Amino acid sequence: MSTYLDGNAAAGALREVFAVDITSASARCGGCGQTGVFAEVRLYVDAPGLVARCPGCDAVLMRVVKTDTDTYLDLQGLSYLKLPNG
Amino acid sequence: MAGTALRGRLTWRVATVSAVREETQTARTLVLDVPDWPGHLAGQHVDVRLTAPDGYRAMRSYSIASAWPSSPAGGAKVDLTVEQVPDGEVSPYLGQVIGVGDPLEIRGPVGGWFVWRPEQPGPIQLIGGGSGMVPLMAILRAAELAGRQPDVRLLYSVRRPESVLYAGELARSKSEIAFAYTREGPAGERIGRIDAEVLARSAWSPDVGATVYVCGPTPFVETVADLLVAAGHDPAQVRTERFGPSGGGR
């Protein structure tokens, strides 16, 4: 089994893309509907890029891949991210 | 401060190592001077980037061990404690080579979930495994600076006494601290991992509504989180952070 970390470890990479801290946001899995803080997702960092998976059903929630020129952000597995205003 | 630390574009800064403290045989703390550091919350981390002469880059996350301010006098230090990982790509350089006066590229602070804020009411339960102690030390220090010692309990799982990080400071601390030695310990001490009995004896009882911070290797974190929930702690009050020696680990 591949080892994983959690969403906390993606905080820096995500702050390059988003102006706010995504790790404290609520995330809902588009697969099983489980909702939780993004910091608690399973994060695989040994892939080419970052892969975040649902702690409930293991579905891929998010992928972040950086090349020399661009950052690809795939949020297909999330039905939403809920961020506090302000 | 919290707002500024969590908003705006993240940029790489060049910090300078101002001091090095040996913590254990395999861990040391780098004390960094960081120009224009916006401050940080206890529990946050930074990303560290190393660039080889041929342009190859490696990046890792390291938890900040110091509170902000880092002393009653308003000290301004960013401490990173680096545990050597066998065959590591980054930790051998940080753990053996880098010295006082050397530059280090960092960005941060990052992370807004595994943090303690002084305005947060209620008891604080810290449970650390191995180098998972690092961000918990920042919380312990911040809570003590805020005069919140009575609220803090720490349960620290570690292989043996000589592996304890910040041993001198913990010995002087007025917070309630318990150790779980997993390989060797002082004569008469129980040797073994944290289990339900250790938790019941050393941690805040579930009915006091403590915010619980658990940090360590992934299996440790998951075992302890399950034990906490089984003991009756509110899962919404349990915050976890997994450390790992893999690509993005600490």
Side-chain angles (χ1 to χ4, degrees), chain A residues 2-3 5 8 15-16 21 38 42 51 54 56-57 61 71 74 81 83 86:
Chain A
S2 174
T3 59
L5 298 170
N8 294 299
R15 278 289 311 278
E16 284 190 341
D21 174 58
F38 189 84
R42 293 183 175 184
V51 178
C54 173
C57 73
L61 300 174
T71 298
D74 169 5
L81 274 174
L83 299 148

Side-chain angles (χ1 to χ4, degrees), chain A residues 4 6 8 15-16 40 86, chain B residues 7-8 107 218 222 240 242:
Chain A
Y4 56 87
D6 57 41
N8 294 299
R15 278 289 311 278
E16 284 190 341
E40 305 279 359
Chain B
R7 279 185 178 274
R107 71 173 177 191
T218 296
E222 297 191 350
T240 58
R242 294 159 181 81

Side-chain angles (χ1 to χ4, degrees), chain A residues 3-42:
Chain A
T3 59
Y4 56 87
L5 298 170
D6 57 41
N8 294 299
L14 294 173
R15 278 289 311 278
E16 284 190 341
V17 182
F18 296 100
V20 293
D21 174 58
I22 295 293
T23 61
S24 337
S26 296
R28 183 174 185 272
C29 172
C32 71
Q34 180 169 320
T35 305
V37 177
F38 189 84
E40 305 279 359
V41 303
R42 293 183 175 184

Side-chain angles (χ1 to χ4, degrees), chain A residues 37 40, chain B residues 113 210-212 225-226 228-230 232-240:
Chain A
V37 177
E40 305 279 359
Chain B
W113 173 246
T211 308
V212 190
D226 289 347
L228 286 162
V229 173
H233 286 266
D234 176 0
Q237 291 283 85
V238 178
R239 299 185 180 210
T240 58

